[in-house]
Amino acid sequence: MIRHWLRDPLAHFLIAGAVIWAALALAGEPVDPASRTIELSRERQAGIAFGFERMMGRAPTDAEMDSAIERWVREEVLYREALRLGLDEGDAVVRRRLATKMDELAGAEAALARPSEADLERWLASHPDKYREGDRLTFRQVYYSSESAAARALASRDPVGEPISLPAEGVAMPLAQIRGTYGEAFTARLAELEPSSEWRGPVASGYGWHLVRLETRSAGKTPQLSAVRDRIEADWQAATIAERRQRAYALLRGAYTVAIE
Amino acid sequence: MTKTLGCWVALAALALSGCDSMDTGEPTEDQRGDGTATIELAEFPDRPYWGDTHLHTDLSVDAFGFGVRLGAEEALKFARGDRVRSTMGMDAQLDRPLDFLVISDHSDAMGATRRLYDTPRILVRDPTLRRWYDMMHESTNQSTMAVAELITAAANDTIPEALMDPERQAVATRELWDSHLALLDRYNRPGEFTAFAGFEWTLMPDGNNLHRVVMFRDGSVKTGQVVPFPGIDTQPEQLWDYMAAYEANTGGRVLAIPHNSNLSNGMMFDLVGPDGGAMSADYARQRARFEPVVEATQIKGDSETHPFLSPNDEFAEFGVAGWELGNLPLTREATPDMYAGSYVRSALLRGLTLEQQMGVNPYAFGLIGSTDSHTALATGDEDNFFGKQTNVEPRAGRALASQNLGTRQGRFGWHYLAGGYAAAWARGNTRAEIFDAFMRREVYATTGPRMVLRLFAGHDFADSDWDGDWVRAGYARGVPMGGDLVDRGRAPVFLVSALKDPEGANLDRIQMVKGWVDANGVARERIYDLAWSDMAGVRRRVGGTIPAVGDTVVRREASYTNTIGAPELRATWRDPDYRPGQRAFYYVRAIEIPTPSWVLFDAKRFGIDLPAEVVEANVIQERAYSSPVWLKPGRSPGAAASPAGRE
């Protein structure tokens, strides 16, 4: 029971909030909302220098540091004035950005987490279709610019075809690659054929007509985890991040009542 | 004070922590990033890989402002072929997946909201608490924000470990960029789909477009060591410094791709240096090193050339109307003297001239197309056009509607193109292979159709090469597109092949565009028709001209038939105007038969009557531009010619 309570994010939420407020109340220093003093602490300067270094891969020169500070101060002044004017309120970009940050925070832990072997096995077992490889075909094709020429050539045991810059054969070629190279119409017809030593056709394509000889077809199998580990890990992470975000949202959403007129 | 606070939070967190494992282990192959040794590679580049290097998502402030609510993840899904829901609620899917994608959100978009996405400092012990403290003292707004952050952190168990183990802070530092890079690594799948890290650097003095897309070769282990470089208050030389530093510090590679030179009012390909003085050899070298490729065609027009620059080019008007009027927001009109600095062909010519003067060519670039879509949907297809931005996703009347970039001055919806694609000749689909194809310029542009375009240059190619494995011969005895061919004192010979898009229109013709500097130092251009459909029949050349291919477009139906044109055009071509010692470039243009543009598809879909001139302007001949091959002087360069420009 206690354990359950300890793991309940809502409890974290409430207790941490209470702790912070208590701590701040104890701090008790005066608040000056109209402060127009910008203090550039050493930490802040280090932060600016670090920002430069992160971008340029080297420490800034004195002149570059001066101009970076100048830019920072400018932004800070405009930022503070904008807040005073309330420009952050009702700004769709700010609203969206803050919402995105919340999502990022919620998903961040999952982005760093590593799934266990069992997690991955479970994932693969529950999404077999997603990882099943497509069919692969081994075939030869010859090209004709006219249907009648292709039909005539069908009588030949060894049709020659006309020149075109398409591969004359595919060896265990995935359907997706066949589609990209020869087009949808050709691929659909080829996929319907049964392997045989005979030439068939004419098969229409975006280029003209073809005679084809489908030699083998290997049906796609669901791979072993080891073969698709990276992919599954990435998909597991994507799903886990989405789930974390949804949970975090549900938690926060639970504290709201929405009245739609 | 802060210390006390820190202890409070740490204690609270400790008590509540669920303590998930944060063991990061060794970097995975994906993180290592460039895909080397992950897949079996072809012996030589055996097929073009199709991609878009210029796509905006909701991380771009302008795209967001236009309404897009799809992010990088939806963009990646769409590009790899999944069906997604567009911002406006329509199902969106490519009829054929892309092979690679560069998401190029504006770095300044991120910069403008920098404060909001700065490293969440809740992960840093004392400074964080100090910041919260400061925020709470500053204003009520700030205070609310600080508390919101804190509570979220607590709710998500993110405070405790970071506070308990400062050494993990570096790992746990999460910025938008970092999580974006992690997302790219998750979607990058060697052999199937390549997701590149990148951003758009958006320099725009006075509205003149000097934008570049920056594209990284590497995974997050390297790209995570930098953040995107802002365009505001910076110059191209600083961008190159940034790129050089990235390469030196990480061992990674990065390149930049200028785009929309057509909206630069002559500044993109200037003859002079950035300060208006003579261009320095160092500037030229840097530019050549970091900008090997230019985006020649996209939604906001086509930058190949302009009828004013190429009066003898009957196909020069494509994608020029509307965009030629001036700079990006049309705050300044363009005058014809600016065009030479705004278009790609004239820039290639300027490059030859500058090379003659300085010994280095700043404008020796290859060509690609892309979309520049701001909808997170990378589609350049006429029958599947989702608009430049979200407020012009498919709906009745968008072709005639006002848009944001100078409509009142004469730029209309129908001036927007559906956008193009980049094709890369590579040995496999990995970051390394495709990036390297860009570096060696073995890439080409199309205005949307996926034609297969080959170009080899050598000295001894012959018609008989077509009977055998001509691609192998091309690589063995010549250079492919993007290469340099060293002059041997005799005319270069080219093998050129264009194969139509299997789902698209037949081809009208293939042409060689040659640019050179003549003996008087004058830059010249000429277009040679290499092959065309029905060459020996009804389209026999009469005098100097080739009869037009015809037109099968049914305007109201947005349809055409492939009863004209050819499925493939090939040529073996020897330059008839070669002179020993000549500096020249050669690129191929493959042109389709007339087809309907997205505007006619829209009119049919929504049942709109368009003005006749709009209809006619939207029967188009789509095309592909190869990267050039450069003919370089042999050991002794020709006698120095007078450095007169073409203009």
Side-chain angles (χ1 to χ4, degrees):
Chain A
M1 188 62 204
I2 298 244
R3 196 179 158 75
H4 174 80
W5 180 83
L6 276 176
R7 293 190 65 83
D8 184 351
L10 186 61
H12 302 195
F13 179 95
L14 294 173
I15 292 179
V19 168
I20 301 312
W21 281 120
L24 288 172
L26 286 174
E29 285 182 23
V31 173
D32 177 11
S35 164
R36 282 200 162 79
T37 307
I38 295 176
E39 282 177 26
L40 242 90
S41 63
R42 292 216 168 270
E43 287 85 353
R44 172 64 68 195
Q45 292 174 45
I48 293 171
F50 179 73
F52 184 97
E53 198 167 333
R54 171 120 196 241
M55 197 143 61
M56 302 304 290
R58 61 178 171 82
T61 63
D62 286 351
E64 284 165 340
M65 190 63 199
D66 287 348
S67 90
I69 286 175
E70 189 61 42
R71 267 201 303 279
W72 188 87
V73 168
R74 181 178 193 276
E75 194 173 270
E76 187 66 17
V77 167
L78 296 179
Y79 174 67
R80 288 192 191 185
E81 291 301 319
L83 286 182
R84 283 201 180 85
L85 293 172
L87 297 188
D88 54 327
E89 289 163 18
D91 183 314
V93 175
V94 172
R95 185 168 175 269
R96 170 75 170 185
R97 178 63 67 226
L98 290 175
T100 304
K101 275 185 78 173
M102 293 292 278
D103 263 344
E104 297 289 341
L105 281 170
E109 189 120 321
L112 292 172
R114 285 282 172 279
S116 69
E117 201 68 13
D119 287 334
L120 296 181
E121 288 287 4
R122 243 192 328 273
W123 181 268
L124 177 57
S126 56
H127 302 81
D129 287 345
K130 204 172 149 110
Y131 302 97
R132 186 170 296 134
E133 293 158 352
D135 288 1
R136 287 170 175 268
L137 307 183
T138 297
F139 63 96
R140 297 187 59 78
Q141 65 83 26
V142 288
Y143 166 80
Y144 297 89
S145 54
S146 79
E147 187 171 13
S148 55
R152 275 197 306 278
L154 201 52
S156 161
R157 279 172 52 97
D158 208 4
V160 177
E162 299 167 26
I164 193 160
S165 296
L166 287 169
E169 61 174 13
V171 177
M173 193 182 270
L175 275 180
Q177 191 183 337
I178 299 174
R179 198 171 286 121
T181 308
Y182 302 90
E184 178 59 42
F186 177 94
T187 308
R189 265 302 295 286
L190 192 65
E192 287 169 1
L193 296 178
E194 287 307 317
S196 136
S197 58
E198 303 285 307
W199 287 92
R200 321 273 191 78
V203 171
S205 79
Y207 304 107
W209 284 267
H210 308 254
L211 299 183
V212 296
R213 199 172 74 193
L214 179 60
E215 290 168 3
T216 62
R217 172 207 308 277
S218 60
K221 291 188 285 277
T222 303
Q224 294 293 309
L225 175 59
S226 55
V228 284
R229 163 179 291 284
D230 285 353
R231 220 181 119 186
I232 289 187
E233 196 167 320
D235 291 346
W236 178 90
Q237 264 180 353
T240 307
I241 289 169
E243 190 197 317
R244 287 289 303 231
R245 287 182 182 173
Q246 190 47 42
R247 266 204 319 203
Y249 171 66
L251 165 72
L252 297 168
R253 177 68 182 79
Y256 285 78
T257 307
V258 179
I260 299 172
E261 263 183 54
Chain B
M1 176 60 237
T2 25
K3 241 185 182 150
T4 323
L5 243 182
C7 291
W8 271 103
V9 175
L11 270 173
L14 228 167
L16 299 168
S17 161
C19 284
D20 287 334
S21 162
M22 281 184 36
D23 181 19
T24 52
E26 289 297 303
T28 62
E29 177 54 44
D30 278 358
Q31 281 171 323
R32 197 147 68 70
D34 63 24
T36 301
T38 53
I39 59 166
E40 198 177 329
L41 298 177
E43 184 184 351
F44 41 73
D46 61 337
R47 51 164 285 210
Y49 290 90
W50 294 96
D52 182 7
T53 63
H54 194 170
L55 179 72
H56 296 273
T57 72
D58 68 355
L59 285 183
S60 289
V61 152
D62 60 343
F64 183 85
F66 294 134
V68 72
R69 294 296 178 271
L70 300 190
E73 186 151 13
E74 288 94 340
L76 290 159
K77 284 184 176 169
F78 179 82
R80 74 178 184 185
D82 296 4
R83 179 183 301 175
V84 303
R85 180 68 54 90
S86 82
T87 300
M88 304 300 276
M90 278 161 278
D91 278 343
Q93 188 169 25
L94 286 170
D95 72 335
R96 286 171 283 175
L98 293 178
D99 299 307
F100 64 92
L101 179 69
V102 183
I103 294 176
S104 55
D105 283 306
H106 297 287
S107 58
D108 288 320
M110 304 183 220
T113 49
R114 197 183 72 187
R115 176 71 174 231
L116 297 172
Y117 98 90
D118 256 347
T119 310
R121 293 193 192 79
I122 42 177
L123 301 177
V124 184
R125 201 195 310 240
D126 288 344
T128 305
L129 298 169
R130 195 175 300 131
R131 185 170 74 90
W132 281 339
Y133 188 70
D134 289 345
M135 286 166 80
M136 288 169 182
H137 279 72
E138 189 165 307
S139 71
T140 46
N141 281 338
Q142 283 284 48
S143 172
T144 311
M145 275 170 61
V147 173
E149 277 183 21
L150 200 64
I151 290 175
T152 313
N156 290 311
D157 295 354
T158 48
I159 291 180
E161 283 180 331
L163 288 175
M164 284 173 351
D165 186 356
E167 281 166 26
R168 286 190 173 146
Q169 284 168 12
V171 177
T173 298
R174 302 170 308 218
E175 298 182 11
L176 202 58
W177 180 240
D178 288 338
S179 76
H180 179 61
L181 296 176
L183 179 75
L184 295 174
D185 279 356
R186 280 205 302 280
Y187 277 80
N188 184 53
R189 194 165 292 168
E192 290 177 42
F193 181 76
T194 292
F196 284 105
F199 61 88
E200 179 173 341
W201 180 76
T202 313
L203 176 66
M204 192 158 52
D206 302 326
N208 300 325
N209 185 314
L210 295 177
H211 302 180
R212 271 87 163 168
V213 165
V214 175
M215 168 178 169
F216 293 93
R217 185 178 190 260
D218 315 294
S220 59
V221 169
K222 287 175 181 164
T223 50
Q225 295 177 38
V226 291
V227 289
F229 188 69
I232 290 171
D233 291 340
T234 61
Q235 290 297 318
E237 296 98 310
Q238 287 166 288
L239 175 68
W240 302 332
D241 277 354
Y242 162 86
M243 295 168 72
Y246 170 78
E247 294 193 343
N249 291 326
T250 68
R253 299 298 305 275
V254 59
L255 60 82
I257 308 170
H259 70 85
N260 281 119
S261 55
N262 60 335
L263 302 175
S264 74
N265 276 3
M267 286 181 68
M268 184 65 89
F269 305 120
D270 216 335
L271 269 175
V272 296
D275 54 358
M279 187 185 290
S280 72
D282 188 52
Y283 177 95
R285 239 187 310 274
Q286 292 259 81
R287 179 147 183 166
R289 175 181 167 201
F290 288 114
E291 302 187 352
V293 168
V294 163
E295 183 185 301
T297 191
Q298 60 129 281
I299 289 175
K300 295 197 304 288
D302 188 281
S303 302
E304 187 213 2
T305 192
H306 185 284
F308 176 85
L309 298 168
S310 306
N312 298 321
D313 181 352
E314 59 185 303
F315 297 98
E317 81 299 343
F318 182 84
V320 166
W323 305 107
E324 68 190 317
L325 298 171
N327 61 11
L328 180 64
L330 251 182
T331 50
R332 295 200 184 173
E333 289 182 11
T335 48
D337 58 298
M338 297 174 177
Y339 289 152
S342 294
Y343 290 88
V344 159
R345 190 186 298 167
S346 45
L348 291 166
L349 285 168
R350 285 182 161 190
L352 297 179
T353 300
L354 288 164
E355 185 179 32
Q356 199 163 55
Q357 294 167 5
M358 296 188 291
V360 48
N361 181 348
Y363 302 133
F365 48 73
L367 304 179
I368 58 159
S370 274
T371 67
D372 197 6
S373 156
H374 283 55
T375 60
L377 304 173
T379 163
D381 302 333
E382 303 290 341
D383 58 355
N384 194 24
F385 180 49
F386 269 81
K388 166 71 164 48
Q389 65 246 353
T390 296
N391 58 345
V392 282
E393 284 192 12
R395 60 178 164 79
R398 64 170 169 164
L400 299 173
S402 295
Q403 297 217 8
N404 62 317
L405 299 167
T407 294
R408 279 179 212 87
Q409 294 93 334
R411 267 183 203 156
F412 298 102
W414 57 271
H415 287 135
Y416 287 73
L417 307 181
Y421 290 123
W425 282 109
R427 297 179 301 172
N429 189 2
T430 66
R431 284 173 174 160
E433 287 299 310
I434 289 173
F435 183 96
D436 292 351
F438 275 63
M439 283 309 294
R440 63 175 188 270
R441 306 175 294 212
E442 200 175 346
V443 292
Y444 61 97
T446 88
T447 56
R450 303 193 192 183
M451 307 120 156
V452 178
L453 186 61
R454 285 279 199 189
L455 163 65
F456 292 103
H459 291 99
D460 61 356
F461 292 129
D463 279 333
S464 56
D465 281 313
W466 295 109
D467 301 335
D469 188 345
W470 60 273
V471 171
R472 182 179 297 276
Y475 280 108
R477 307 203 322 267
V479 298
M481 64 177 69
D484 291 334
L485 184 71
V486 176
D487 188 9
R488 286 195 195 157
R490 59 181 194 276
V493 187
F494 300 83
L495 295 178
V496 181
S497 156
L499 185 65
K500 65 168 285 193
D501 180 337
E503 317 295 355
N506 280 348
L507 302 174
D508 169 353
R509 67 184 74 193
I510 51 176
Q511 302 175 306
M512 185 67 82
V513 179
K514 179 186 177 184
W516 74 98
V517 181
D518 72 13
N520 298 319
V522 178
R524 299 185 175 281
E525 66 175 71
R526 183 162 174 188
I527 296 172
Y528 302 84
D529 289 302
L530 305 184
W532 54 97
S533 65
D534 225 353
M535 282 174 85
V538 295
R539 298 183 73 197
R540 243 192 335 269
R541 198 199 297 258
V542 184
T545 59
I546 299 163
V549 70
D551 179 356
T552 65
V553 176
V554 182
R555 273 66 171 162
R556 288 205 158 276
E557 293 301 314
S559 68
Y560 66 94
T561 50
N562 277 324
T563 47
I564 55 174
E568 182 178 18
L569 293 170
R570 288 174 172 181
T572 316
W573 184 74
R574 181 184 305 272
D575 179 4
D577 297 316
Y578 164 80
R579 298 286 177 276
Q582 193 174 68
R583 278 174 207 279
F585 65 80
Y586 302 84
Y587 71 88
V588 173
R589 188 167 65 178
I591 295 185
E592 278 191 351
I593 65 169
T595 53
S597 87
W598 69 269
V599 174
L600 299 193
F601 281 101
D602 254 33
K604 179 187 177 221
R605 178 174 176 180
F606 297 112
I608 315 163
D609 277 325
L610 296 170
E613 73 270 19
V614 175
V615 170
E616 290 316 305
N618 282 285
V619 175
I620 55 175
Q621 287 190 268
E622 303 226 50
R623 58 209 52 210
Y625 310 122
S626 80
S627 289
V629 165
W630 285 265
L631 184 63
K632 297 278 196 186
R635 241 179 325 137
S636 65
S642 81
R646 176 170 167 277
E647 295 72 33

